[in-house]
Amino acid sequence: QVQLVESGGGLVQAGGSLRLSCAASGRTFNKYNIAWFRQAPGKEREFVGGISWSGITYYTESVKGRFTISRDNGKNTIYLQMNSLKPEDTAVYYCATAGMIYSRSSDPKNFDYWGQGTQVTVSS
């Protein structure tokens, strides 16, 4: 059974930083693709960034240069470092995992396991 647990969300002022964590059990991260998605109230879930099974990171344009994804294989944990946060980054953030054939996918339909989400609120 695969389980993903996000943590690290909270309230931060614009320009601040947060680091989200996604801890996995039941699946070895370095053999799968992992991505972060977010969903704001009244909006569809959108791709934020991901790290492929080979370690390549990729991001949506709006977070490039501000967000960084990293992986600690020993802890089976993925991190999302978010800097220079903006009010429009406010959302529930989810991590999700996909099989190797979906390398660098940003389509939520290709991700088969999801965490419960963690709230990020950026005040102006």
Side-chain angles (χ1 to χ4, degrees), residues 9 28 120:
T28 303
V120 172

Side-chain angles (χ1 to χ4, degrees), residues 8-57:
L11 173 65
V12 64
Q13 288 188 330
S17 298
L18 281 175
R19 188 178 80 157
L20 306 184
S21 300
C22 173
S25 59
R27 178 171 279 186
T28 303
F29 264 168
N30 63 358
K31 296 181 186 293
Y32 292 87
N33 305 295
I34 307 296
W36 288 94
F37 293 82
R38 64 187 179 187
Q39 188 166 19
K43 295 187 177 181
E44 292 188 354
R45 190 166 298 189
E46 67 168 346
F47 170 78
V48 175
I51 182 165
S52 73
W53 63 272
S54 60
I56 297 172
T57 55

